[in-house]
Every structure is written in C-alpha cells, then in structure tokens.
Amino acid sequence: MATSKILAGAQVVLPTGTVSDGRVIVDGTRIAGSPPGDAETIDLAPDHWVVPGFVDIHNHGGGGASFTSGTVEDVLKGVHTHRLHGTTTVIASTVTGEMDFLAQRAGVLSELAEQGDIAGIHFEGPFISPCRKGAHSEALLRDPDPADVRKLMDAARGQAKMFTLATEMPGGIDSVRLLAEHGVIAAIGHTDATYEQTQEAIDAGATVATHLYNAMPGLGHREPGPIAALLEDERITVELINDGTHLHPAAFELAFHHAGAARTALITDAMDAAGFGDGRYMLGPLEVEVKDSVARLVEGGSIAGSTLTLDRAFKRSVTVDGLPVGDVVRAISANPARLLGMYDRVGSLEPGKDADLVVLDAEFALVGVMRKGEWVIAPN
C-alpha cells in the first residue's frame, strides 16, 4: 500500500525550474502540497535528481515480451520491464499485421488500458509506405483507407491514442482528418512524402512525426522532403530515438535545436529485447536478430526497433549531447504526457498529480522509481 513520504535533499526538477535541496511530498498515490503528520522522510543525496516518471508514446515491448503478439501476462511483463527503467506511463505500439489480427489485439490491449496498466494503443502500420516499410511486412501493408482506420479505432474502444500513417498514400489525408475529429493523434511516419505533401497532412491535422529521420526520405537541399516540413512547423512534435544507433549525434542535435524542448518527445521504439538481451526475436511476422544491443531484421538487415530504455535515453541526452536537465525532462515526460491528454495527471512533479517519479544519481544513472506512490525500485 502507498504511504505518505517526503523525499528530501535532492535537486528536484519542477516545471518552473530546478530546486536544490528540494522536497517532494507523496500522500498515498499522489503528490501533495503539504506533508501529512505521519509522513516518512527519505533523505536523498544533494547531488541526486528527482524528475517526473518517464512517458513513452512509442514502445513495442521489452523483457522478452511483445505488445503486438504476446499474452496479457507478456504485455504486463514488458510494461514492468520498462517501469524498472523509469517509464511509469507507456503506450503499447503494434506492428503491421492482418486487419482482423490487429483488431483482436486492440481488444486485448484496450482492456489493459482500461485497467490502467498501459496508457493506450499506438498503431504503427499497416497504413505505411512500402518504400519506407522498415521492419514491417510488405505483404501486409495497405493504403490508409478511413474505413480501415475506423475499424481499428472501434476495436480499441476509445483506447487508440495514435496511428502512424504514410499520409501521401490514397486515403491518407482523409484518415488524418478522421483521427483529428476523434481526438486521436495522426503521426506522419514510414512515409515517402514530399515537403508539400507533408505540409498538406499537417494542415489536415497531423501533429506528430514518428521517429524523425528514420523510415522517411533524407533532408535534401532541393527536395527537403518531410524532415524539413516536420521540423519547421510549430504544430508538430517530433519523436527522436536517442540510442546512438538510430541517429548520429549531429542529426539529434539538429532536430532538438530546431524543434526545441517544447516540440520533442524522446521515445524508445523498443522491441522485445529491451531490458532482456541479444538473441533471435519475432517482430510481428518478421525475424529479428539482436547483436550488441542493436536489433536488425534477419532478412535484409533493416534496423528493427531498438533495445533502448528511457533511462538510457535520459542519461545520453545529458552526458553525451549536453542538453540541460530541464529540457530533457520536458522531452521525456511533459511533452508526451501533453500529447496523450494526460498532463493533468502525469508528466511533472506538481501537487494533485500521480506520484510518478524517478531518482537519478550524480551521473544520471537510475537509482529509484516510484509509480503512484509505491516504489518500483527504492533508492538505497
């Protein structure tokens, strides 16, 4: 059972800035403004950090378990694996499959969302371009027909949070409008769109760039393509996979500089091997080999998701890329929470919100995780 606690002494990152020798008051499952009389004080080192729990809007699994094809127990195992790495709120992402299979998976995942184990469903595929399919089965791809998009929305029973679409394909713009009308995020990704086609999709209501740079045409000086359109538009939040494999540090810096801390969402795009290890895995119907923590398709060698966890993305963003801690907190917690319409509950350390938080040491290694007032990992 959650109890009352005061976390004291560390650097606490708030929406208004960082407070040295700060404190976070936890009363039951929520953050409180004043301590109850029976609160336990937990003293943290002054060089440690307390930050909001991480929010991952693009995640296919972990701990050896798949969100796309695993049992309920598998999904919960994957969720717990990422909680151990600081992700207290996670969206379950699917990969391309037969429509009936995806509708069935939506039913399974929607129950877990209704129970609060996951925060909703992200459909990545089948409505993507065969030219930019990445680790998706080309035989199962289809145009983003609004009727098919609606079928998956209905199967998700209100728990569909995001669809990744190649919006230049037949039905793409109409599907964006459909999603926007129903409050579901339309994300542009796995796309072969031009600059102008991308602008059209944004005007129609698209608000997210699925793993910017990856699975889309490169930035050209005569044909700028989708990357330029997505980076320059204030309506777009760009997903970035900061694992050192998906993006060169210069590309990461370029995107973060242009989108800024307010329009960036750090994601994992994790697959089963995250938090588990090297070996052979299945990503939908395709076989993946993970070697030295890099996942690639056995056939063709395309990068197949990642083995990233958000604690590693946080540490890399600060220690390798030199980003301010407050900017990383916005990109890894606040911004994705806002996208999901959950910022009133998660994404920052404010009274009334869920007591979801992460404790990091002076080197930004994770030493503690709390979710809804209960320690997943208690700091020593």
Side-chain angles (χ1 to χ4, degrees), residues 75-93:
V75 175
L76 293 175
K77 180 181 179 182
V79 169
H80 182 67
T81 296
H82 285 281
R83 283 183 189 166
L84 292 172
H85 293 275
T87 299
T88 50
T89 302
V90 65
I91 293 293
S93 301

Side-chain angles (χ1 to χ4, degrees), residues 4-71:
S4 301
K5 309 173 185 69
I6 301 173
L7 279 63
Q11 302 176 82
V12 178
V13 182
L14 303 174
T16 53
T18 299
V19 178
S20 298
D21 192 18
R23 65 179 190 169
V24 178
I25 301 164
V26 176
D27 188 5
T29 63
R30 296 188 179 277
I31 297 171
S34 57
D38 60 347
E40 169 197 8
T41 298
I42 300 169
D43 291 316
L44 300 174
D47 59 358
H48 282 34
W49 300 80
V50 181
V51 300
F54 308 146
V55 181
D56 195 354
I57 61 172
H58 190 153
N59 188 317
H60 298 278
S66 168
F67 294 158
T68 297
S69 58
T71 64

